[in-house]
Amino acid sequence: MSATPKTQLLFDEAAWTFEDLQRTFDAIEDIGLNDLGLDVYKNQIEIITSEQMLDAYSSHGMPLMYRHWSFGKAFARDSMNYQKGYTGLAYEIVINSDPCIAYLMEENSMTMQALVMAHACFGHNHFFKNNYLFRQWTDAGSILTYLDFAKKYITRCEDEYGWEEVEQTLDAAHALQDQGVFRYNRPPKLSQTEAAAKVQARLEHERENFNDLWRTLPQKEESDEAVEARLGEVKNIKLPEENILYFVEKASPSLRPWQRELIRIVRNVSQYFYPQKQTKVMNEGCATFVHHYIMNEMHRRGQISDGAILEFLHSHSSVVFQPEFDDRRYSGINPYALGFAMMEDIVRIVTDPTDEDREWFPAMAGHGDWRGELKDAWANFRDESFIQQYLSPKVIRDFRLFALGDDGKKPYYRVASIHDEAGYRDTRDALATMYDLGMHEPNLQVTGADLEGDRTLKIRHTVYKDRVLDKKTKDAVLGHLRFLWGYDVELEQESAEG
């Protein structure tokens, strides 16, 4: 490396000022927008302390969140582990909102602040704004307004009905939050902002016309008109219904109006986070590729020093480090490592393909537009489909991946796929399947509800590859579901073959 003239540097020491941050952000923005051609929400950067970072951890990284004991428990656990040196803290947290909010740790050096601005403010930000899952299932422009409404609404419920009743309802809803999302159908057309505005308008109307009732809102009983409208929605729900919380919110014979609103809040928040569960490799791979490109480009332009680029490379190599399977640090495939490797490999295939690449990726190999290829991938895939489409034999070899066969009935594993033509495809299929949420979350659906008779709710679990529900967890969750439903709940288990 050649020495970089000091007069051209954006910063020349580890300590930083807000002027350093602004100057460096402007340089990062120039590369992100004008070189990489990224499309991002407006950025909002917040500098926070380690304790504030721990607090953000406990509330899913959101700047606004309703109160619940589980958040305090998470804060106490993370705080203790951090103080004892068992775990470190993230350099940043970024929020899928418009504007896109990035929290930066004040303890970061200036080089690390540059890295995380590139990573969060342009990598994650571009992915949030352009990936089809986030565009289809989340409303970045309204989430903060909705969370503000949710926090205030739940606080008022606690004041009116007591924290014990509110907590019991939230506990039950949280137990079912993974079954509180729409996976395949589009959610109801009413957006989160419109739903909050609808509730607020109803409360304002009642406050203006019934001042005495305002003191007891959120209301305890449902009006005849509200019941009729809600039951009309229930009749339009086609069974089986995958979103159990949605069905319970609309059809439960026992819930009060404020409890239905609490369930709606929990499932809306769950829906907001659902795309992130499906795009961990892609989202982190995109952000890591972007920060790697931007930091190296700033060094190439003489904007950061050799010392800064070495500090960056030390951190970056730690982020994308993939321990071997027999390493004590191994805990699975590092999404940063796999995502970054695949993004870099796409650039290689597009710009300098081998004969193998031309055979595997004939439409992509050698066409030269790696920026367009990456942006197309970031916009139109999730982890499972991205791996199926783009994982190359080279990356499989680099990661030394192979597939194991295990039918669960024999005391040994069988090496099912190795590094040959058929083995590459089988290994890619096996790895992609690992990122299918259906492999990790049970398939539970509402199949019936006798609303005119004994009001029994019927749930069906479709068993996948002999994976039955854990009895202890099943009984606990069914207890929460019975509380929300108010009557008996029957669960049947069925094999995927019927």
Side-chain angles (χ1 to χ4, degrees):
M1 292 185 182
S2 60
T4 306
K6 186 174 181 179
T7 55
Q8 298 179 10
L9 298 179
L10 296 167
F11 54 89
D12 57 7
E13 56 184 29
W16 54 267
T17 66
F18 286 103
E19 291 76 13
D20 292 331
L21 291 179
Q22 183 63 63
R23 186 168 55 252
T24 304
F25 177 87
D26 291 342
I28 292 170
E29 183 178 48
D30 176 57
I31 298 171
L33 301 186
N34 299 321
D35 183 343
L36 289 174
L38 303 179
D39 175 25
V40 298
Y41 296 122
K42 183 179 179 180
N43 279 291
Q44 178 177 324
I45 297 174
E46 308 267 349
I47 307 297
I48 63 175
T49 65
S50 58
E51 184 166 343
Q52 289 172 317
M53 181 67 80
L54 286 165
D55 188 46
Y57 274 15
S58 66
S59 57
H60 304 297
M62 304 305 292
L64 290 165
M65 184 58 75
Y66 57 83
R67 292 181 298 189
H68 189 256
W69 63 267
S70 63
F71 302 149
K73 177 182 177 182
F75 177 84
R77 178 199 62 215
D78 293 338
S79 179
M80 181 188 68
N81 289 337
Y82 175 65
Q83 290 171 5
K84 291 186 175 182
Y86 296 152
T87 61
L89 294 181
Y91 296 123
E92 46 75 31
I93 288 179
V94 62
I95 298 167
N96 171 29
S97 60
D98 184 10
C100 182
I101 301 175
Y103 293 135
L104 277 61
M105 285 266 286
E106 68 175 7
E107 290 90 344
N108 292 344
S109 69
M110 187 58 224
T111 298
M112 296 311 300
Q113 300 292 36
L115 184 158
V116 298
M117 284 191 291
H119 183 92
C121 299
F122 292 91
H124 282 308
N125 191 342
H126 174 89
F127 193 85
F128 287 148
K129 186 176 181 182
N130 294 277
N131 181 263
Y132 81 101
L133 283 174
F134 290 89
R135 293 170 63 89
Q136 176 178 337
W137 294 109
T138 67
D139 185 357
S142 70
I143 184 62
L144 298 181
T145 303
Y146 185 76
L147 288 176
D148 181 53
F149 154 77
K151 183 176 181 179
K152 292 176 180 176
Y153 188 90
I154 291 175
T155 299
R156 287 173 57 196
C157 289
E158 291 175 336
D159 293 339
E160 180 61 32
Y161 304 112
W163 65 266
E164 294 94 341
E165 284 200 62
V166 172
E167 183 177 283
Q168 189 175 17
T169 303
L170 287 176
D171 284 350
H174 284 177
L176 288 154
Q177 62 187 351
D178 287 340
Q179 279 71 48
V181 296
F182 294 97
R183 293 176 174 83
Y184 305 108
N185 301 320
R186 286 186 175 272
K189 292 184 179 180
L190 200 63
S191 72
Q192 293 175 356
T193 302
E194 292 169 329
K198 183 178 178 181
V199 174
Q200 193 65 36
R202 184 176 73 242
L203 299 185
E204 291 292 340
H205 173 75
E206 295 187 12
R207 183 176 70 170
E208 292 172 1
N209 294 278
F210 308 98
N211 289 331
D212 289 337
L213 285 178
W214 177 251
R215 302 190 188 100
T216 61
L217 289 175
Q219 66 268 40
K220 198 166 188 174
E221 301 300 333
E222 211 169 6
S223 67
D224 293 339
E225 293 82 1
V227 171
E228 184 178 353
R230 180 172 56 77
L231 292 180
E233 292 183 65
V234 172
K235 290 179 181 178
N236 291 326
I237 298 176
K238 296 181 180 179
L239 298 181
E241 171 55 56
E242 61 176 351
N243 193 328
I244 295 177
L245 277 187
Y246 174 69
F247 186 86
V248 169
E249 173 204 325
K250 298 298 182 183
S252 171
S254 65
L255 289 177
R256 289 172 283 180
W258 65 269
Q259 291 176 302
R260 297 186 196 279
E261 196 64 50
L262 262 57
I263 292 175
R264 186 179 296 116
I265 287 170
V266 170
R267 69 175 182 82
N268 280 339
V269 172
S270 297
Q271 192 74 61
Y272 168 83
F273 284 109
Y274 187 61
Q276 298 190 28
K277 296 165 66 175
Q278 302 180 78
T279 55
K280 184 69 173 177
V281 170
M282 288 194 68
N283 202 343
E284 296 300 351
C286 169
T288 304
F289 176 89
V290 167
H291 84 226
H292 182 266
Y293 181 89
I294 290 177
M295 293 295 289
N296 278 284
E297 179 63 17
M298 286 198 297
H299 182 255
R300 189 189 68 79
R301 295 182 181 187
Q303 294 174 317
I304 61 176
S305 67
D306 293 348
I309 198 68
L310 287 172
E311 180 185 354
F312 154 72
L313 289 172
H314 174 75
S315 174
H316 174 80
S317 61
S318 299
V319 167
V320 299
F321 172 63
Q322 175 60 61
E324 298 286 344
F325 76 94
D326 55 352
D327 192 307
R328 292 179 60 185
R329 295 165 292 181
Y330 180 80
S331 59
I333 295 177
N334 179 356
Y336 294 83
L338 180 60
F340 178 69
M342 290 183 66
M343 307 303 174
E344 289 277 281
D345 196 51
I346 289 172
V347 175
R348 181 192 62 78
I349 293 170
V350 168
T351 58
D352 187 24
T354 64
D355 291 340
E356 181 182 59
D357 297 325
R358 291 188 177 90
E359 179 182 351
W360 278 70
F361 308 101
M364 182 172 66
H367 69 60
D369 182 16
W370 60 265
R371 291 172 178 82
E373 190 69 43
L374 283 174
K375 285 187 284 187
D376 180 69
W378 295 338
N380 296 308
F381 294 88
R382 63 177 188 267
D383 286 348
E384 178 191 3
S385 56
F386 176 68
I387 291 170
Q388 281 280 18
Q389 180 72 20
Y390 287 101
L391 184 66
S392 71
K394 179 182 184 303
V395 174
I396 292 174
R397 289 191 295 268
D398 290 346
F399 276 73
R400 301 180 183 179
L401 300 175
F402 57 91
L404 290 174
D406 177 22
D407 62 9
K409 299 177 182 178
K410 298 177 181 177
Y412 58 84
Y413 292 103
R414 177 174 58 88
V415 177
S417 300
I418 57 174
H419 293 170
D420 56 24
E421 181 69 21
Y424 287 133
R425 299 188 186 279
D426 290 343
T427 300
R428 182 169 67 179
D429 291 344
L431 183 62
T433 302
M434 287 175 53
Y435 292 93
D436 178 3
L437 283 186
M439 290 282 292
H440 308 286
E441 296 181 352
N443 181 0
L444 296 168
Q445 299 183 24
V446 177
T447 57
D450 188 5
L451 298 177
E452 303 295 333
D454 63 6
R455 299 183 174 181
T456 298
L457 178 67
K458 295 183 179 180
I459 306 293
R460 181 177 65 215
H461 171 226
T462 302
V463 179
Y464 179 73
K465 291 189 175 181
D466 299 325
R467 297 176 183 176
V468 298
L469 299 173
D470 175 74
K471 185 179 186 310
K472 183 178 179 180
T473 304
K474 177 189 69 175
D475 292 344
V477 173
L478 282 177
H480 287 299
L481 183 55
R482 290 190 181 98
F483 166 75
L484 295 176
W485 185 250
Y487 293 87
D488 193 27
V489 177
E490 293 181 357
L491 173 69
E492 65 174 6
Q493 297 196 93
E494 177 182 280
S495 70
E497 295 75 25

